[in-house]
């Protein structure tokens, strides 16, 4: 019994120790597990925290972020939902990346994704994204290979670049277009012309380059201001665009200069017709605000390959031809020829000489007598300007006045002529040559000149000439180009007592209604009508002259016939009541000393 108790007691002791050992181990294990659990928890928390941070960054990203895995979009951020116009009925998740790529960019996107899966570096492309509402938006897309939720995936970072692209397009437009008229600018024109010439070379075809310059644009700008000038350019551009064919190129070269490039015209004739239509379209009156403007244009044309092979050569020669067109009386089209180059050199010399023309002392005036048909007496003289150029010789006004009109030089020249002519006539009167009237030609550019009436006044005062002995000649085209200005200026001059004549009558667009409203003294019948007079009274020119004389008399104006060269012309004019004649029949224009001699020898009775 005692033995069994001992065994039992030892067994219990062993069991107790084993239990205690197990409890200790259990406690140790629990502690370890607890420690491990704690560590795992901390890691999980950290992971959760970093995922949250990532989610926040991705969510708040201004770029759209999308992830596609196994052919389906599985993740999109807020910006992506906005950019792709997600709505309750249309969601991005579940679609494929190609579903939101514009059809034209799908092949490229597929290719990029393929290379990424094969291990290529991330790729950035610019393409159009197709939004869920069907609209397209220009985007930059960066695609990269990533692991998402343990799966291989493609991450796309998409940025809307439509604003930048619009700006880029605007900049490109501004770089190639004229801001005022919207047609090509000088740079684009050059580029187009180079391309046209290369094409023409291959096809063996001609190219026409035309330089178009508006006539008297500067005067309109001076008179009405730049706003009206700008409006005028816009209207002219519209008219040109309307007349030209779609294949023709129109560009603004600067100021009032346009360039037209024609390619693939079958013949030179067709080209001429086109330029005729261009000129006709510009000649149509233009109304801006309440002003009706009459504008013409001069065109110079150079042809590839005959007149040049490069854009520079062709433009320079077209420009030279345009100047020739201006010189030959404006409002015409001139094709380039070799004489024009010579003319250009001459023109440059004239331009250079005009800079200090009054200081050079090379200008002088010739006087051409005007003789009364009734009395045979010399009633006056027309002052005709001359320039004795040291290299070019004696220049007629037609050779340099149009050039002087392009700058303000014409105003100082004009003032010089008025002053000198008044002084000369006053001096002749003092010398006993009689009371002569002097006719001075006014240029278009002088009319808007504010100081015109003060120039006239000071010339009259300093010479001591009576105002009614000064006769200002203006062409009817000039008068009609701005009737309001003409009326104002002429009235002011008339109030000073000065006489006013219409020069070259019958050659311009005369408006009889307006003629009546102007304070005129005389009409000068243009020499072309006088020179066309025939023996037959029923001939058209004869009828025109008869009508012009009657018209002038009905308006109570004196009539002067200019360019009278023959006795039969004089006879005809006398028969029909013309008042005065001027022309080689009496005398060519004379230097002052010769005029004075002419007056002394003049016998009135020989003319009656
Ligand atoms: P215009 O006013 O019509 O002047 C008449 C022109 O006819 C003058 O040419 C004169 O020399 C010419 N002529 C005169 N008699 C005859 C004739 O019997 N037969 C022919 N065939 N011609 C004759 P010019 O002197 O070369 O002047 C040309 C134009 O220059 C003038 O035409 C006038 O518009 C302009 N001009 C002349 N002097 C001035 C000036 O001081 N200022 C301005 N702005 N223009 C002027
Ligand atoms: Ca004249
Ligand atoms: Ca004349």
């Amino acid at each position: 019994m005692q033995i069994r108790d001992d065994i039992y007691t030892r067994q219990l002791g062993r069991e107790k120790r084993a239990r205690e050992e197990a409890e200790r181990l259990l406690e140790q294990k629990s502690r370890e597990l607890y420690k491990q659990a704690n560590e795992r928890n901390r890691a999980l928390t950290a992971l959760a925290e970093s995922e949250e941070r990532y989610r926040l960054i991705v969510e708040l990203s201004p770029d759209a972020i999308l992830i596609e895995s196994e052919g389906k979009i599985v993740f999109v951020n807020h910006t992506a939902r906005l950019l792709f116009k997600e709505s309750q009925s249309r969601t991005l998740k579940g679609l494929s990346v190609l579903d939101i790529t514009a059809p034209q960019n799908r092949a490229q996107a597929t290719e990029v994704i393929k290379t990424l899966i094969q291990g290529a570096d991330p790729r950035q492309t610019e393409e159009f994204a197709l939004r869920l509402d069907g609209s397209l938006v220009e985007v930059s897309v960066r695609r990269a290979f990533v692991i998402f939720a343990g799966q291989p995936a493609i991450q796309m970072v998409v940025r809307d670049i439509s604003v930048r692209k619009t700006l880029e397009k605007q900049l490109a437009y501004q770089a190639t277009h004229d801001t005022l008229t919207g047609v090509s600018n000088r740079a684009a024109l050059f580029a187009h012309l180079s391309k046209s010439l290369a094409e023409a070379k291959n096809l063996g075809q001609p190219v026409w380059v035309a330089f178009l310059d508006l006539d008297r644009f500067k005067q309109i700008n001076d008179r009405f201001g730049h706003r009206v000038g700008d409006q005028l350019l816009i209207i002219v551009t519209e008219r040109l665009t309307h007349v030209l064919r779609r294949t023709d190129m129109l560009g603004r070269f600067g100021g009032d200069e346009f360039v037209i490039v024609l390619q693939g015209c079958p013949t030179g004739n067709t080209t001429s017709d086109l330029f005729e239509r261009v000129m006709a379209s510009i000649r149509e009156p233009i109304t801006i605000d309440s002003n009706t403007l009459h504008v013409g244009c001069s065109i110079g044309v150079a042809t590839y390959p005959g007149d040049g092979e490069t854009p520079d050569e062709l433009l320079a020669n077209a420009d030279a031809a345009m100047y020739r067109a201006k010189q030959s009386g404006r409002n015409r089209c001139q094709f380039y020829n070799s004489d024009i180059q010579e003319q250009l050199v001459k023109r440059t010399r004239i331009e250079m000489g005009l800079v200090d023309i009054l200081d050079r002392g090379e200008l002088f005036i010739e006087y051409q007598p005007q003789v009364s048909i009734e009395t045979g007496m010399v009633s006056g003289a027309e002052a005709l300007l001359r320039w004795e150029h040291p290299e070019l010789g004696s220049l007629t006004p037609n050779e340099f006045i149009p050039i002087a009109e392009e700058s303000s030089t014409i105003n100082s020249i004009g003032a010089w002529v008025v002053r000198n002519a008044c002084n000369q006539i006053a001096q002749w009167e003092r010398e006993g040559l009689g009371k002569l009237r002097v006719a001075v030609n006014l240029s278009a550019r002088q009319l808007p000149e504010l100081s015109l009436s003060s120039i006239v006044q000071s010339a009259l005062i300093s010479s001591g000439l009576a105002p009614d002995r000064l006769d200002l000649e203006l062409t009817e085209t000039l008068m009609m180009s701005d009737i309001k200005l003409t009326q104002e200026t002429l009235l002011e001059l008339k109030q000073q007592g000065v006489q006013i004549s219409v020069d070259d009558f019958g050659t311009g667009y005369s408006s009889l209604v307006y003629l009546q409203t102007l304070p005129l003294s005389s009409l000068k019948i243009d020499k072309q009508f006088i020179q066309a007079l025939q023996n037959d009274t029923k001939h058209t020119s004869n009828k025109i002259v008869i009508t012009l004389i009657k018209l002038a008399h009905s308006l109570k104006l004196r009539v002067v016939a200019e360019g009278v060269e023959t006795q039969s012309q004089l006879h005809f004019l006398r028969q029909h009541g013309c008042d005065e004649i001027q022309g080689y029949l009496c005398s060519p224009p004379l230097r002052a000393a010769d005029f004075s001699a002419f007056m002394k020898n003049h016998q009135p009775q020989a003319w009656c």
Side-chain angles (χ1 to χ4, degrees), residues 382 441 473 503 524 562:
E382 178 171 4
N441 293 284
E473 289 192 3
D503 203 356
K524 291 187 82 174
E562 57 178 17

Side-chain angles (χ1 to χ4, degrees), residues 263-312:
Q263 207 179 350
C265 278
T267 65
N269 270 349
T270 319
T271 319
S272 302
D273 291 349
L274 186 72
F275 291 132
E276 280 305 321
R277 288 205 301 280
V278 162
M279 290 201 292
S281 78
I282 293 182
R283 266 198 303 268
E284 290 288 312
I286 294 177
T287 306
I288 300 171
D289 300 336
S290 56
N291 306 298
T292 300
L293 309 170
H294 294 269
V295 191
C297 70
S298 302
I299 300 179
V301 187
T303 314
Y304 166 86
D307 304 333
E309 303 216 334
T310 65
D312 281 321

